[in-house]
Amino acid sequence: MQDPETREKLTPRYGLGCKRPSFSNEYLPTFNRANVSLETTGIERITAAGVRTVDGVEHSVDVLIHATGFKVFEPGYPIHGVGGVELDAWWDANRAQAYEGVSVPEFPNLFSIIGPYGFNGASFFLLIETQMRHITRCLKRARETGATWVEITAEANHRYFTSMLSRRHNQIFFRDTCATANSYYFDRHGDVPFRASPSLETIWRAAPVRPRRLPVRNAHDRGGEKRWP
């Protein structure tokens, strides 16, 4: 950065990993160009000709790109479980959680690849492979028994969620270096639902085990559905 003021504005005040890092070598040198400027003053409102910042200055623009961040773990469309409960509402009330990042209690036959506490920050290819291994063995067991309802027990989900919370002090997000990051990784509960597990552990936990040890709800009748024992 040639301009010290611009360099100061672009210097992070938090640790590496608190937000998604840039892997481009061209982003920072862009601010050395004469036709590029960096504006960090808060926006007051959008006007007919551009953007007015809180200091009263109106900046003319030809194109405005509205990029405010991401809602990483929200489904984006309505998903209803037992009794009509909606998944967003369930997570809002109970905090974002899912057994192995795959299954949520009260949402039978719902399987996700990147659910809360599924991704550990490593490779997405590894995530997909391990999650699919977990999902596939559930579906195979359901087919073998003729079950039409596969649901994680609340007890097993609670054990997993408690385990993840007890480990998260080892993650960078919950160290002082991230306190000022204002990262979209954090939800309104102050949680970052990334899996606090090494990759080898995620592979091991998704490996085939004896079906009776799979933590799903015991067989009984709910609305005429046969559940997986």
Side-chain angles (χ1 to χ4, degrees), residues 24-50:
S24 171
N25 292 324
E26 299 178 357
Y27 172 70
L28 292 177
T30 300
F31 291 93
N32 290 325
R33 291 166 47 177
N35 63 340
V36 174
S37 62
L38 174 66
E39 179 59 66
T40 58
T41 308
I43 295 175
E44 177 184 291
R45 65 189 182 95
I46 308 300
T47 67

Side-chain angles (χ1 to χ4, degrees), residues 79-183:
I79 298 176
H80 296 275
V82 175
V85 60
E86 208 277 319
L87 183 57
D88 268 348
W90 194 94
W91 276 339
D92 189 55
N94 299 282
R95 300 165 69 178
Q97 51 183 296
Y99 180 79
E100 302 281 340
V102 174
S103 301
V104 180
E106 300 184 38
F107 290 85
N109 299 342
L110 173 65
F111 303 99
S112 61
I113 295 292
I114 186 172
Y117 300 99
F119 181 51
N120 71 340
S123 167
F124 266 102
F125 297 105
L126 175 65
L127 169 72
I128 293 169
E129 290 173 356
T130 55
Q131 302 299 69
M132 283 306 304
R133 190 177 297 117
H134 179 100
I135 295 168
T136 299
R137 64 189 175 96
C138 288
L139 296 178
K140 283 183 176 179
R141 180 59 176 165
R143 177 174 291 182
E144 290 170 0
T145 60
T148 59
W149 188 304
V150 179
E151 180 185 352
I152 188 66
T153 63
E155 295 78 14
N157 178 75
H158 178 71
R159 286 195 302 269
Y160 180 76
F161 184 49
T162 301
S163 173
M164 291 297 102
L165 294 182
S166 70
R167 295 177 173 192
R168 72 180 189 177
H169 65 278
N170 296 317
Q171 296 175 305
I172 188 173
F173 310 111
F174 297 97
R175 298 179 181 178
D176 291 341
T177 53
C178 285
T180 60
N182 191 29
S183 173

Side-chain angles (χ1 to χ4, degrees), residues 53-64:
T53 48
V54 293
D55 56 4
V57 178
E58 184 163 336
H59 305 267
S60 299
V61 298
D62 295 318
V63 176
L64 178 64

